[in-house]
Amino acid sequence: MFTYTIRRLLIAIPTLLVISLIIFLVVTLAPSDPTANLPLSIPSEVRAQMREALGLNEPILVRYLLWLRQFFLYEPLHMLDQAFGLSLAGEDMQRILSWQTRSPVADLIVQRLPQTLWVVGTSYVVGVLIALPIGIVSAYRQYSWFDQIGTFVSMVGFSVPTFFTGVLLIVIFSVHLGWFPSIYDTTLRVTDLSTFWLQIKQMIMPVAVLALYNAAQISRFMRASMLDNLNQDYVRTARAKGMTERVVVLLHVLRNSMIPVVTVIALGVPTVFGGAIITEQVFKVNGIGQLLIIAIQGGDVPTVQTLTFIFAVLIVLFNLIADVLYGLLDPRIRYD
Amino acid sequence: MPDGASPILEVQGLQTVFRTRGGDIHAVNSVDFHLQPGELLGVVGESGSGKSVTMMSLIGLLPSPPAEVRAGTVRFGGDDLLRMPARQLRDIRGARIGFVFQDPMTSLNPVFPVGFQIMEPLRKHMGLDRAAARRRAQELLELVGIPDAARRLGDFPHQFSGGMRQRVMIAMALACDPEVLIADEPTTALDVTIQAQILVLMKDLRERLGMAVIWITHDLGVIAGIADRVMVMYGGQVVEQAPVKALFARPQHPYTRALLQTVPHVTGARADRLKVIEGQPPVLSGPPRACPFRARCPHAFETCARANPARVAVGPDHDAACFWDVDRGAPRHV
Ligand SMILES: Nc1ncnc2c1ncn2[C@@H]1O[C@H](COP(=O)(O)OP(=O)(O)O)[C@@H](O)[C@H]1O
Ligand SMILES: [Mg+2]
């Protein structure tokens, strides 16, 4: 298992290089001009100079290699410096700067990550936590009223887009009832019980919207996996041994059913970091998803490239984690 | 066999119906039988004749829905298993009645070590602690002839061959020293050589442990070598029941006779091809009103279509459910 993990990590390197090249090319070759949003009064010679200063006149391959060096060498060194107060990075080691704000992209991400982790991360955890028991009960009581309602709700959660449920919640709970704020306030600092309560209140709606969506998918998956296993012969064996239904379902069946479900849950984690782009927009959560949208609209190539590539890294990484988990959970799988 | 001793298990009027979308399937129809302590009862019949469903009905192992045990009593140690609270029944399953299933490849849980799976009933029914259960599990693996038992307790089912897995299943069923062991085609899924090994093992275990065994099979050859008494099932009914010698010497039901003719003989002239019973088993969409075997029966006459024959005594501890008297070659007077 260990050598397998190491080998997979090594294979991930060329994979990520190819992905980075593709992302770089797609974003760079897109017909957008970083100076397009500037006032029209700026003369075209100045615009040309600005483009040159941004390094846009170099050949594409050179720009790609420079970007790689920045991403894999300079940025990590700068991050270490910031984190531990060192000075590993030299003066000439230029950071990846956002064209819009002229500040390092890494700093922008660090600023926005907590909001995304709080809102989207919580919603994922909540979604999983409600999905698992619902999936288990729905499968065990297949076609019961509980299962029918569960099927209906998850179909709704699955098919109604989050911008609809989000706006619906805002209309009901913010506009009419006035229970929760419709805008997420990033400046809120949790210092005591009352600010903690405010934080909870502003998180409830975005978390609920996303949790519904996540839970809809995962509970269906859990249900299907449980149903697959409930009909297996080993379940009859466990009953023939006199095990209680509790042990039969929550130990024998669940342990088997979790194998594919854990994989799916792990594969879904990168989407947490991707932020729920739409939901962040609806509730004005200034997280990673919103950063990406603004960067795309402003033609901010470095920010878009960096974010996209980080997502790619996370997806590759969590694919690996899912495979390793699969191997750990299923004794029949041997990686060597 | 200790004659006259009271039976350890006595089934009367058992009726099981599956309620499916395509309509009801009457899989078991008024089945009566009994099992003496220490006896090995063979149950034979084509596949689909209701052998498994009968045995699983006894101890509530059928999924409900779709299964519904509609009628009957199952006397076991003074209680009726069919009218027992689920909790009490669970204390009997795996403790006083052990079960071995047909397919050892799928009957063990793939994600738990076999040691854990054998220890489960020990801990639940006998209240053993972990260490004691482990010792007993090791003894059991040794008992069923698995070499290097102590180490193999930690192995997972996929690390065993089919025959070895069936030995594990047997160890599990025997864990709490049951009075009755129900083995549902325990050798059908195995290679012929492995089948023989499991048969030898079972004979040996029965002599040593003295439990009563119900051995389900569709192979009369297996039954001949191992059973004390045989029950033949067809269409969800018992059609003949006799001590093993009598059954092979004087089969009374045309179905039993047909079954016996399908057994290939190792000695003697080789038949040109294996005999098969012509025709299809009955569709069990309603409770039987006529003899279920009449469509395939060489002796069928008009009475067979009018009523379902009851089991009548045709010899000492020997009965058959047929209107035709094969000895006289004429309808039976009842
Ligand atoms: N889960 C089920 N649903 C519907 N019918 C079933 C089910 N299980 C068994 N049956 C029916 O019960 C009859 C007897 O089956 P079974 O006892 O398994 O036969 P066998 O003698 O081969 O063990 C068959 O005709 C089968 O169609
Ligand atoms: Mg069967």
Side-chain angles (χ1 to χ4, degrees), chain A residues 42-233:
Chain A
I42 294 178
S44 58
E45 309 89 65
V46 181
R47 284 176 196 267
Q49 278 172 2
M50 289 171 80
R51 277 195 215 103
E52 190 174 349
L54 290 172
L56 294 182
N57 296 339
E58 304 285 342
I60 291 240
L61 195 64
V62 173
R63 281 160 62 191
Y64 173 62
L65 292 175
L66 288 173
W67 178 76
L68 273 189
R69 189 174 65 180
Q70 279 183 311
F71 193 91
F72 285 107
L73 188 65
Y74 294 178
E75 281 301 328
L77 290 177
H78 280 288
M79 299 296 279
L80 285 176
D81 286 357
Q82 280 182 357
F84 301 108
L86 308 172
S87 48
L88 300 170
E91 283 298 311
D92 56 336
M93 293 192 183
Q94 180 66 56
R95 303 195 62 172
I96 300 176
L97 295 182
S98 157
W99 285 351
Q100 281 177 309
T101 64
R102 307 302 301 158
S103 62
V105 173
D107 291 354
L108 293 178
I109 294 174
V110 168
Q111 279 166 16
R112 284 162 177 268
L113 197 57
Q115 289 83 269
T116 292
L117 282 183
W118 266 112
V119 174
V120 190
T122 309
S123 76
Y124 199 64
V125 174
V126 170
V128 169
L129 287 182
I130 53 181
L132 298 188
I134 289 178
I136 294 169
V137 176
S138 300
Y140 188 63
R141 302 234 172 275
Q142 194 187 8
Y143 305 134
S144 64
W145 61 265
F146 183 94
D147 184 30
Q148 313 273 7
I149 292 174
T151 304
F152 178 75
V153 171
S154 48
M155 234 167 59
V156 170
F158 211 41
S159 47
V160 178
T162 50
F163 61 77
F164 182 80
T165 38
V167 172
L168 188 72
L169 287 194
I170 288 178
V171 169
I172 296 175
F173 292 104
S174 302
V175 178
H176 285 296
L177 298 173
W179 289 358
F180 308 123
S182 68
I183 293 180
Y184 189 91
D185 176 9
T186 317
T187 59
L188 180 74
R189 290 281 157 269
V190 177
T191 50
D192 53 15
L193 219 57
S194 69
T195 46
F196 178 71
W197 178 234
L198 284 179
Q199 173 69 8
I200 296 283
K201 269 178 28 178
Q202 67 175 354
M203 274 173 63
I204 281 182
M205 285 198 299
V207 166
V209 166
L210 284 170
L212 174 71
Y213 185 72
N214 290 328
Q217 285 184 324
I218 296 170
S219 69
R220 289 276 94 187
F221 211 83
M222 183 80 229
R223 177 180 181 273
S225 184
M226 287 289 288
L227 283 177
D228 272 353
N229 279 287
L230 276 166
N231 293 321
Q232 298 288 318
D233 287 350

Side-chain angles (χ1 to χ4, degrees), chain A residues 204-280:
Chain A
I204 281 182
M205 285 198 299
V207 166
V209 166
L210 284 170
L212 174 71
Y213 185 72
N214 290 328
Q217 285 184 324
I218 296 170
S219 69
R220 289 276 94 187
F221 211 83
M222 183 80 229
R223 177 180 181 273
S225 184
M226 287 289 288
L227 283 177
D228 272 353
N229 279 287
L230 276 166
N231 293 321
Q232 298 288 318
D233 287 350
Y234 70 79
V235 180
R236 188 180 59 190
T237 306
R239 292 201 172 108
K241 287 195 287 188
M243 297 296 117
T244 58
E245 281 303 288
R246 214 186 147 82
V247 171
V248 171
V249 176
L250 295 184
L251 186 70
H252 286 264
V253 179
L254 184 60
R255 176 65 178 69
N256 280 278
S257 310
M258 281 312 287
I259 296 171
V261 175
V262 164
T263 308
V264 164
I265 292 174
L267 289 177
V269 171
T271 61
V272 170
F273 291 90
I277 294 176
I278 291 164
T279 313
E280 284 191 358

Side-chain angles (χ1 to χ4, degrees), chain B residues 11-35:
Chain B
V11 178
Q12 263 168 2
L14 185 70
Q15 192 192 0
T16 304
V17 178
F18 288 97
R19 314 202 59 169
T20 66
R21 279 188 198 180
D24 290 1
I25 297 173
H26 292 248
V28 176
N29 300 299
S30 319
V31 162
D32 302 335
F33 71 93
H34 62 99
L35 182 70

Side-chain angles (χ1 to χ4, degrees), chain B residues 142-167:
Chain B
E142 282 160 4
L143 183 72
V144 297
I146 292 182
D148 203 5
R151 194 180 52 81
R152 302 230 68 184
L153 283 177
D155 283 355
F156 291 92
H158 71 273
Q159 292 166 289
F160 291 78
S161 67
M164 285 293 156
R165 280 191 221 186
Q166 198 58 300
R167 286 170 193 260

Side-chain angles (χ1 to χ4, degrees), chain B residues 141-224:
Chain B
L141 282 193
E142 282 160 4
L143 183 72
V144 297
I146 292 182
D148 203 5
R151 194 180 52 81
R152 302 230 68 184
L153 283 177
D155 283 355
F156 291 92
H158 71 273
Q159 292 166 289
F160 291 78
S161 67
M164 285 293 156
R165 280 191 221 186
Q166 198 58 300
R167 286 170 193 260
V168 171
M169 280 295 294
I170 293 171
M172 218 154 78
L174 294 178
C176 304
D177 255 328
E179 293 142 76
V180 176
L181 178 72
I182 302 177
D184 188 353
E185 311 210 23
T187 59
T188 304
L190 304 174
D191 297 345
V192 183
T193 47
I194 311 291
Q195 282 188 14
Q197 290 171 10
I198 297 285
L199 274 176
V200 171
L201 171 72
M202 282 303 302
K203 274 188 185 172
D204 174 49
L205 287 174
R206 196 166 74 89
E207 266 162 37
R208 283 207 259 169
L209 307 176
M211 70 276 182
V213 179
I214 297 177
W215 186 286
I216 303 177
T217 179
H218 56 247
D219 185 348
L220 274 169
V222 168
I223 284 295

